[in-house]
Amino acid sequence: MERHIRYSADDRALILLDQRYLPSREDDFYCRNTEDIIYALQTMVVRGAPAIGVTAAYGCLLAAIEVAGEADWQSALRDKLEAIAEARPTAVNLRWGVERMKALWAERPDVTREGLTNMWLMEATLVHREDIEINTRMGAHGATVIDDGDTVMTHCNAGALATAGYGTALGVIRGAIDAGKKGITVIANETRPFLQGARLTAYELKEDNIPVTVACDNACGLLMRRGMVQKVVVGADRIAANGDAVNKIGTYSVALLAREHGVPFYVAAPLSTIDRNMPTGDDTPIEDRTPREVTHVGETQITPDGVPVYNFAFDATPNELIAGIVTEMGVLRPPYKESIAKAFKDAGIK
Amino acid sequence: MERHIRYSADDRALILLDQRYLPSREDDFYCRNTEDIIYALQTMVVRGAPAIGVTAAYGCLLAAIEVAGEADWQSALRDKLEAIAEARPTAVNLRWGVERMKALWAERPDVTREGLTNMWLMEATLVHREDIEINTRMGAHGATVIDDGDTVMTHCNAGALATAGYGTALGVIRGAIDAGKKGITVIANETRPFLQGARLTAYELKEDNIPVTVACDNACGLLMRRGMVQKVVVGADRIAANGDAVNKIGTYSVALLAREHGVPFYVAAPLSTIDRNMPTGDDTPIEDRTPREVTHVGETQITPDGVPVYNFAFDATPNELIAGIVTEMGVLRPPYKESIAKAFKDAGIK
C-alpha cells in the first residue's frame, strides 16, 4: 500500500498513485515541478492531511531543483514555497510541511542551492518515514479504544492513502487488529462528493482483507439507531486549540448522530494536524471546491444545467462531541486545551 | 408539470414520465398491465408516496382490464391487486390506493368485470384529481409556517413529481410563494443514492423558476451551523400513529441537525400517508434496495468489486424532532397522537 507516494531521485520526480481514478484505474501521476505538485494537491491526485504534508515536503525539494540557474534563486524559491503552502486552505499539514523545510533552510541561510537540495532530499525522506512511524504509534494507542467485535464507522479516507502509510483512522483499526482484537469490521461512509469512502477506504481495506461495507452518508442515522455501529473513528485536516476537529464535510453530522446514540466518536491525527494558533474549528478556513464534483459523478451529470451547487469540502466538529483524540503521544481526552498542551510538551515541541 | 402521470383510455395505458433518467432524458414509460406497474414502482420509474398511491389506483384498473376472458376473473384480479400492494414495502399509500379500489368493489360484489372497469376508471381519475387538490390545500396550510426570506432545506423529492401534482414539501414552498411570501429560496439535498434531490427537486423547481441550490447530503451540518437554513420541510412515506415520520434515508440526520441548530423541521403529507395501525416509526418495514444504486452512478462504478454495501431506502424521524405535520386538514402539532386523531375525525375518516 505504500507505493502511493514515492520519490524517484533518478527521475527527479514525486510519483503519486492518482487517487482521482481509484478503484477503477491505478495510474501513476508524475510531479516534476512546483506546478505539478500544486495541480496534484488541488485536484486531489493526492489528499488526506498527512499525505499532503509529505507531498509538500517533496514539493519544496522539487522547487529547489526547479530554480537552478535563476539569478536570485532564493527569492524565486520562496515564492514557490508560498504557492505550495497556499494550494489548499484547510489542511494545516500543508503549511506545516513547507514550514518544516523552511525552518531547516533558516538554520543555514548561506547554503548553496545544491546544498539545500541535498538537505531537503534527506528531510523530505525523513518526513515521509516519520509519518509512517507516527501512524503506527497512533494505531497502537488507538487500539485501546477498540473492542473485540466492534463495527467501526469511518467517514472519508483517513487511511494509508491519506498518509505516507498505515493511516490515521484506519491506522487505529489496523492497530486494533495488529493488537489481536477479533471480529473488527468497518462501515465506510461513501463520503460525497469525492467518494473517498466508497472509492479509497473500501479499496485499501479490501486489499488488506479487513471486512468493510460501504453505505451512503445518509444511512448513518439508521445504522446507528439499529445498533450497528459501536465506534466512530475519523481523521482530521486541522484540529483547533480547543479540540474542535475540522474534517471532511459531513463528519459533524456523524458526530452528532454518534452522541445521540451513545456511540463513542474518536478523531485520529498526528500532532502536526493540531493548529494551536487556531482558537476554534469555526475559525478555520473552509475550502469551497469546484461545482463539478457535485454536479457530475464520472461523466454522468446528475443536476440540471444552470442549477447552482454548494461544495464546501470540510466542516468543524465541536470538541464536546469528541470522546478522544488519538495521537502519536497517546489518546488525548477532554478538556482538550490542557491535554493538547501536555502532548506537545511531552513531545518536546514548543 | 402534471404530464408525469396520465392515463390514456385510448391506449389503455398509464403513461409515466420516467424519473430514473431525469433530468438528462425526458422519456415516457407505458404501463399496459400489472407487470409493467410493478416494474415501474420497484425500479422507481415513479416514486413518492402520493404518486405511488395514484399509480396503484390506475394499476388496479389495468389489472381489471388484463383479467378479461379469465374464467375466475375475480380470483385472478384479487391476486394481481395483492401483487401491486406488495410491490414496495414502506410507503403506506401503495396499499392505501389498492384498498380504496377494493373497498369500492366490495360495495358491489356482483358487478361484472366491465362494470368494475368503468367504476375503477372513474375512481382512479378521482384519486388522481383529489391528490392534486389535497396538495394544494396542504400548500395553503403550510404557507403559514414559511416566512419572507426563508431558505428552506428539503431532502429527497416531495414535489409535483412525487405526487399527482404541486407536491407535499415543495407544495408548501409553492403555497408560500402563491400566498405572496417574498424571497423564498430552496436548498435541495442531493439525496444519495437515487439522487432525487439533485435530479428531480432541482429539475422541477428550476422549471417553476423557484431559486434552488443543490448540496451534498453531507453539507447539511455546515449549512445549518452557518445559519443558511431557516426551515426544513420534507415529505413522508409513512407517518406512524405517534407522529414518527418514515421518509427517505438521511431525513433523520437532517432532523437531528435541525434540532441542534434551532431550525424548525416540518413534515408535509396527506392523511393517506398516516398509518394509524403503525405504533411507531421503528415498527415500519424499511425497504432494502439493490446494491447497484450505491455501487454505481449511471455507468460509473464507484466501489471496488466485491465490497458489500447497505442500501436501506428509508429511516424514521422520531416525533420529538418534528415541529409540525402539514396535512390537507391543517398543520398538526404535538402531541401527535391527539392531533392526528382529531384530523381524521374532522375529515370524516373512521
Side-chain angles (χ1 to χ4, degrees), chain A residues 146-185:
Chain A
I146 306 295
D147 295 308
D148 286 344
D150 275 356
T151 294
V152 182
M153 176 178 278
T154 188
H155 193 73
C156 197
N157 172 264
L161 289 165
T163 62
Y166 205 70
T168 54
L170 299 191
V172 168
I173 291 163
R174 290 190 170 97
I177 293 169
D178 289 349
K181 303 282 168 94
K182 302 291 175 209
I184 309 298
T185 59

Side-chain angles (χ1 to χ4, degrees), chain A residues 3 25 66 86 89 130 176 186 242 298 300 305 318 337 350:
Chain A
R3 65 180 190 77
R25 271 164 46 200
E66 196 182 355
E86 286 180 353
E130 275 179 7
V186 177
N242 69 346
T300 305
D305 285 330
K337 215 160 182 170
K350 270 189 194 155

